[in-house]
C-alpha cells in the first residue's frame, strides 16, 4: 500500500489534535481525583460516546469485520444480544449503586460492599488484564503498520505509545475521554463510506445476499442447531453464554467501561450514559460487520478482489484493510488509516486510564501507603500512567514472541469476567451475600472455567486434563465455559453466604437494592429518565433483530 | 477547554476541506468521487459541531 502526501498530512493533523486536547485539558488537573476520575464533571453526551469508544479498539473494528466475513450477520449478536441488554441493565439497575456509593472504581465498590480481600482480588486481576489488553492492542497496531506502511514494529509501537502517553499523562481520564469522543467520530465517518461503497458494489443488500449462503445474511434463523451455522452455537449457548454471562460480565462490571459512566456530572447523567450509548452501539454492525460480509460477496464477482490466503484458508483479518485499498482513493485512505490508528489509541488509552486508577486507589492507597497528601496520589497516578504504557510496550514485545498469547488473554477474560457478574448480581440484589462468600465464589467460578477448559476441546484448544467433550468452535467453548463459571460462582456464593455472617443493614445502605433510596427523578423530562430511554432501546433492538431475523 | 465540540468541529472542517481539495483521486473498485462526497459530509459535520459550540457560548 502506498500513501500520498495528503494521507500522511491527515495522520499528522490527527496527532496534533489529540495532543492539543491533552494540553488544553491539563489546565484542569489539580488533584488526584481530577486526574484519575475526572472529578465527576463530564457531560452526558461525552461520557456516552466514550462509553462505547473505550470498547472500540482496533481489535474490535478489524475483528468484527473479520467475523462478519467468516460468520456473516450472526456476528451482530455481539451487539444486539451481547451488549445492548447489558447496557440497559447497568443504566437502569446497577449505576445507582456504583455512582451513589461514591466509590471511585469498581474494586472500591467491592470493598464497600464486601471486604478488602475481594477488592484486592478484583483489582489485581483487572490490573493484569488491562496491561495485557493494552499491550496486545499495541502489538496488533505494530504488526498492521509494519505490513501496510512498511514501518518497523518498534517504530509503530513507540510512536503510538508515545502519543497515548503524552495525552493521558497531561490530561488524565478527562483527556482520554475527550479523545475517545474525537476518535469515535473519526471511526464512524472513516468506516461508514466503506460499508456503503462495498454493499453498493455488491449490488445492494439483495445482490449481496444472492451471492452468499443464506446463513450469512440472517441473525437467528440458523441458530436452532449448532451444526446449521458457522459459529457452531445454538440458541441457548448464544443467549445464556454471550447474551447473559459474558455480556453482563463485561458491560456491567469491567471498570474500563464503567469508569466512563462514573465520570458523568450527575447520577441522572451516569444512568443515561450506557442507555444513550446503546443507540450508536446498535448501529455499529452496519459499519464494522457489513463490510466483512460484502467482502465475501465481492470476492465471488470476478472483480479481481479476493481475501488473501493464510494457513490454507482465508485470512479474514485482512477484510477491512483490503477493502480500504480497493475503495478508498488517496485522501480517504489517509482518513481510513487514521480511523484505524484512532481505534487502536482509544482502546489503549482506555486500558491505561483504568489501570492507573485501580492501581493508585485500590492497590497503592489501600495496601502500600494510606493517608498521604493528595498531591502524592496525583504523582503516583502520573507515574503509574508511565509505568502502564511501559508495561504495555513490554507486553507487545512478549506477544510478538508467543503466537498464542491472544488466545490466553481471551481465556483469562472468560475466567475472570463471567464469575464476577454473579458476584455483583448477588452483592447488589441480595443483602445476605457476605464478603467471604464473594471471595470464595470468585475463586470457585474461575476454577470452574479452568476445569471446563481442561475437560473440553475446540479447534485443538483445551483438553489439557482430558477431553470429555468436543465443541464445534472455540466460540461455543467460550460461551459454555462462561456459563459454568457463572453458575458455580453463583451457587458457591449463595451457599457460603448462608453459612457466614452478613454485614449489618446500616453498613449496606446505598450499596444494595432494597436498602437504597431510588434516585430522584423529580422534574426530569421523560426522555431524560432511564426507564423510558431503556424501553426505546429495547424496542429498537427487537425491531433490528426482527428485520434481520 | 470550554467545549469539546469546537476542536471536533475544527478537525472535521479541515479534514473535509482537504478531501474536497483532491476530488479527482479514484480507487480501483469505484468510480465515485469518494473524496468529494465524504469531504462535503465532513465539512457539514464540522460546521454543525462548530455551530452548536458557538450557540452554547453565545
Amino acid at each position: 500500500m502506498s500513501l500520498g502526501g495528503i494521507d500522511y498530512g491527515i495522520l499528522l493533523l490527527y496527532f496534533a489534535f489529540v495532543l492539543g486536547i491533552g494540553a488544553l485539558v491539563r489546565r484542569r488537573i489539580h488533584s488526584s481525583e481530577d486526574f484519575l476520575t475526572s472529578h465527576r464533571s463530564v457531560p452526558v453526551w461525552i461520557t456516552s460516546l466514550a462509553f462505547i469508544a473505550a470498547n472500540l479498539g482496533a481489535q474490535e473494528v478489524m475483528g468484527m469485520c473479520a467475523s462478519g466475513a467468516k460468520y456473516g450477520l450472526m456476528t451482530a449478536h455481539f451487539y444486539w444480544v451481547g451488549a445492548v441488554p447489558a447496557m440497559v441493565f447497568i443504566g437502569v439497575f446497577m449505576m445507582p449503586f456504583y455512582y451513589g456509593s461514591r466509590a471511585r472504581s469498581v474494586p472500591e465498590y467491592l470493598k464497600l460492599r464486601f471486604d478488602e480481600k475481594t477488592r484486592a482480588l478484583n483489582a489485581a486481576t483487572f490490573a493484569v488484564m488491562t496491561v495485557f489488553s493494552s499491550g496486545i492492542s499495541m502489538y496488533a497496531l505494530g504488526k498492521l503498520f509494519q505490513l501496510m506502511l512498511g514501518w518497523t514494529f518498534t517504530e509503530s509501537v513507540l510512536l503510538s505509545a508515545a502519543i497515548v502517553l503524552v495525552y493521558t499523562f497531561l490530561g488524565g481520564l478527562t483527556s482520554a475521554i475527550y479523545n475517545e469522543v474525537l476518535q469515535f467520530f473519526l471511526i464512524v465517518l472513516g468506516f461508514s463510506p466503506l460499508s456503503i461503497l462495498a454493499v453498493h458494489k455488491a449490488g445492494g443488500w439483495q445482490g449481496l445476499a444472492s451471492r452468499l449462503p443464506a446463513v450469512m445474511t440472517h441473525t437467528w434463523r440458523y441458530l436452532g442447531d449448532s451444526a446449521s451455522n458457522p459459529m457452531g452455537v445454538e440458541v441457548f449457548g448464544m443467549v445464556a453464554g454471550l447474551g447473559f454471562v459474558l455480556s453482563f460480565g463485561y458491560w456491567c462490571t469491567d471498570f474500563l467501561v464503567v469508569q466512563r459512566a462514573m465520570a458523568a456530572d450527575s447520577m441522572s447523567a451516569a444512568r443515561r450514559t450506557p442507555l444513550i450509548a446503546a443507540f450508536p452501539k446498535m448501529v455499529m454492525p452496519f459499519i464494522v460487520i457489513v463490510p466483512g460480509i460484502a467482502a465475501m460477496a465481492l470476492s465471488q464477482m470476478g472483480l479481481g478482489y479476493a481475501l488473501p490466503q493464510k494457513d490454507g484458508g482465508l485470512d479474514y483479518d485482512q477484510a477491512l484493510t483490503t477493502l480500504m485499498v480497493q475503495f478508498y482513493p488517496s485522501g480517504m485512505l489517509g482518513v481510513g488509516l487514521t480511523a484505524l490508528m484512532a481505534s487502536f489509541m482509544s482502546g489503549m488509552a482506555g486500558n491505561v486510564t483504568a489501570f492507573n486508577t485501580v492501581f493508585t486507589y485500590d492497590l497503592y492507597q489501600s495496601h502500600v501507603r494510606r493517608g498521604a497528601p493528595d498531591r502524592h496520589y496525583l504523582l503516583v497516578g502520573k507515574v503509574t500512567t508511565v509505568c502502564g504504557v511501559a508495561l504495555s510496550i513490554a507486553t507487545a514485545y512478549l506477544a510478538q514472541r508467543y503466537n498464542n498469547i491472544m488466545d490466553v488473554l481471551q481465556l483469562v477474560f472468560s475466567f475472570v469476567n463471567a464469575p464476577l457478574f454473579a458476584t455483583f448480581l448477588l452483592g447488589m440484589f441480595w443483602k445476605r451475600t457476605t464478603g467471604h462468600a464473594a471471595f470464595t465464589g470468585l475463586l470457585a467460578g474461575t476454577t470452574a472455567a479452568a476445569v471446563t477448559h481442561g475437560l473440553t476441546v475446540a479447534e485443538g484448544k483445551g483438553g489439557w486434563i482430558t477431553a470429555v467433550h468436543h465443541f464445534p468452535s472455540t466460540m461455543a467453548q467460550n460461551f459454555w465455559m462462561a456459563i459454568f463459571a457463572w453458575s458455580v460462582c453463583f451457587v458457591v456464593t449463595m451457599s457460603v453466604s448462608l453459612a457466614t455472617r452478613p454485614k449489618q443493614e446500616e453498613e449496606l445502605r446505598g450499596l444494595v437494592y432494597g436498602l437504597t433510596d431510588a434516585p430522584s427523578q423529580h422534574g426530569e423530562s421523560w426522555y431524560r429518565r432511564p426507564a423510558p430511554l431503556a424501553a426505546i432501546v429495547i424496542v429498537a433492538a427487537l425491531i433490528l433483530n426482527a428485520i434481520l431475523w | 477547554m470550554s467545549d469539546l465540540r469546537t476542536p471536533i468541529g475544527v478537525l472535521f472542517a479541515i479534514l473535509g476541506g482537504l478531501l474536497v481539495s483532491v476530488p479527482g483521486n479514484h480507487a480501483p473498485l469505484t468510480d465515485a468521487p469518494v473524496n468529494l462526497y465524504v469531504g462535503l459530509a465532513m465539512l457539514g459535520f464540522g460546521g454543525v459541531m462548530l455551530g452548536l459550540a458557538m450557540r452554547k457560548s453565545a
Side-chain angles (χ1 to χ4, degrees):
Chain A
M1 182 189 296
S2 60
L3 298 185
I6 188 171
D7 300 314
Y8 283 109
I10 287 169
L11 205 53
L12 288 174
L13 183 69
Y14 166 72
F15 289 157
F17 266 79
V18 293
L19 293 175
I21 286 175
L24 288 169
V25 170
R26 183 188 183 189
R27 296 177 202 159
R28 288 172 42 173
I29 306 299
H30 304 295
S31 67
S32 68
E33 291 216 15
D34 290 337
F35 187 74
L36 297 169
T37 70
S38 293
H39 225 121
R40 296 189 165 190
S41 62
V42 184
V44 66
W45 74 273
I46 294 177
T47 54
S48 301
L49 294 180
F51 190 86
I52 54 169
N55 165 258
L56 210 56
Q59 287 150 298
E60 165 94 358
V61 173
M62 291 181 65
M64 284 298 163
C65 189
S67 293
K70 188 175 181 182
Y71 302 119
L73 201 58
M74 279 179 67
T75 311
H77 285 309
F78 281 89
Y79 294 80
W80 301 336
V81 175
V84 170
M87 290 163 83
V88 168
F89 188 80
I90 186 179
V92 175
F93 297 108
M94 291 176 75
M95 199 46 72
F97 304 118
Y98 281 136
Y99 200 87
S101 69
R102 307 297 298 177
R104 295 166 299 183
S105 66
V106 166
E108 190 168 45
Y109 172 83
L110 289 174
K111 156 75 168 62
L112 298 171
R113 173 62 185 87
F114 297 121
D115 51 26
E116 192 61 64
K117 65 178 179 299
T118 312
R119 172 204 221 176
L121 177 64
N122 179 235
T125 51
F126 181 78
V128 172
M129 283 196 317
T130 48
V131 165
F132 269 84
S133 191
S134 170
I136 286 172
S137 190
M138 217 178 270
Y139 162 77
L141 174 99
K143 292 301 287 180
L144 182 73
F145 277 66
Q146 194 177 16
L147 281 172
M148 293 174 68
L149 303 178
W151 297 1
T152 67
F153 182 79
T154 299
E155 283 168 355
S156 308
V157 164
L158 291 184
L159 177 68
S160 57
I163 291 167
V164 169
L165 175 61
V166 169
Y167 77 72
T168 50
F169 186 85
L170 290 174
L173 178 63
T174 309
S175 174
I177 286 178
Y178 279 18
N179 272 309
E180 281 159 10
V181 175
L182 184 74
Q183 286 151 356
F184 170 80
F185 285 123
L186 200 55
I187 291 165
V188 170
L189 289 169
F191 293 133
S192 298
L194 191 63
S195 185
I196 295 165
L197 289 164
V199 171
H200 177 71
K201 189 72 179 178
W205 186 253
Q206 295 301 330
L208 179 148
S210 69
R211 292 181 170 87
L212 296 170
V215 70
M216 292 290 285
T217 50
H218 292 277
T219 51
W220 290 98
R221 189 170 293 177
Y222 297 93
L223 269 180
D225 175 18
S226 60
S228 311
N229 64 76
M231 269 189 193
V233 182
E234 79 303 339
V235 174
F236 181 79
M238 180 65 77
V239 174
L242 174 65
F244 182 60
V245 180
L246 283 174
S247 160
F248 281 65
Y250 177 75
W251 291 100
C252 299
T253 70
D254 195 309
F255 186 53
L256 171 67
V257 287
V258 176
Q259 186 181 29
R260 273 67 196 151
M262 288 170 80
D265 56 13
S266 66
M267 168 70 87
S268 168
R271 297 184 74 190
R272 278 181 282 138
T273 291
L275 297 169
I276 294 172
F279 289 103
K281 187 73 182 171
M282 271 188 275
V283 183
M284 287 311 290
F286 299 106
I287 299 171
V288 296
I289 295 173
V290 167
I293 304 172
M296 296 308 290
L298 291 168
S299 65
Q300 314 204 354
M301 292 173 66
L303 298 167
Y305 171 78
L307 282 177
Q309 298 278 322
K310 184 184 179 186
D311 301 331
L314 294 174
D315 187 359
Y316 297 105
D317 286 339
Q318 293 201 43
L320 185 71
T321 48
T322 52
L323 282 178
M324 275 168 48
V325 171
Q326 294 297 326
F327 284 103
Y328 281 174
S330 185
M332 201 46 213
L333 192 57
V335 173
L337 281 176
T338 306
L340 211 49
M341 180 69 114
S343 65
F344 275 110
M345 288 168 56
S346 125
M348 207 187 304
N351 279 296
V352 169
T353 48
F355 170 79
N356 64 14
T357 306
V358 165
F359 181 86
T360 305
Y361 288 145
D362 298 300
L363 295 173
Y364 184 83
Q365 191 178 36
S366 303
H367 299 278
V368 180
R369 188 170 170 193
R370 292 171 192 263
D374 184 71
R375 65 177 182 280
H376 176 74
Y377 296 118
L378 176 60
L379 179 68
V380 172
K382 291 194 166 189
V383 171
T384 309
T385 304
V386 178
C387 293
V389 172
L391 287 169
S392 302
I393 293 171
T395 311
Y397 279 92
L398 195 67
Q400 201 181 18
R401 291 178 58 188
Y402 296 96
N403 61 7
N404 63 348
I405 199 164
M406 287 190 209
D407 293 335
V408 174
L409 182 72
Q410 286 303 320
L411 273 181
V412 173
F413 273 129
S414 307
F415 286 13
V416 174
N417 279 347
L420 191 60
F421 178 58
T423 307
F424 271 90
L425 203 57
L426 286 169
M428 284 183 171
F429 297 98
W430 190 40
K431 63 185 178 187
R432 185 74 181 72
T433 315
T434 69
H436 294 317
F439 186 79
T440 316
L442 275 176
L443 289 179
T446 303
T447 307
V451 170
T452 309
H453 190 253
L455 293 174
T456 60
V457 179
E459 298 176 27
K461 288 168 186 162
W464 42 271
I465 300 173
T466 182
V468 297
H469 183 74
H470 283 76
F471 285 107
S473 68
T474 49
M475 202 169 284
Q477 187 185 36
N478 284 339
F479 289 175
W480 278 99
M481 225 162 57
I483 292 169
F484 284 127
W486 184 89
S487 306
V488 168
C489 180
F490 193 85
V491 171
V492 169
T493 307
M494 282 190 81
S495 307
V496 177
S497 288
L498 293 172
T500 47
R501 186 187 297 173
K503 278 187 171 180
Q504 298 292 317
E505 288 194 359
E506 277 309 307
E507 295 177 74
L508 298 177
R509 297 215 181 277
L511 301 168
V512 181
Y513 189 78
L515 298 174
T516 304
D517 296 332
S520 170
Q521 298 175 7
H522 184 70
E524 293 266 35
S525 312
W526 69 267
Y527 57 85
R528 294 165 65 95
R529 295 184 178 192
L533 269 176
I536 295 169
V537 169
I538 291 167
V539 169
L542 287 173
I543 290 171
L544 279 171
N545 277 285
I547 291 172
L548 295 161
W549 181 264
Chain B
M1 185 168 53
S2 58
D3 195 331
L4 180 60
R5 285 172 287 202
T6 304
I8 291 175
V10 172
L11 174 65
F12 282 98
I14 296 174
L15 281 178
L18 282 172
L19 290 179
V20 170
S21 70
V22 286
N25 293 355
H26 285 282
L29 279 187
T30 180
D31 293 326
V34 179
N35 283 347
L36 180 65
Y37 291 163
V38 180
L40 288 173
M42 285 188 174
L43 273 173
F45 176 72
V48 168
M49 293 306 267
L50 285 172
L52 289 170
M54 280 192 285
R55 198 180 68 169
K56 191 188 172 193
S57 63

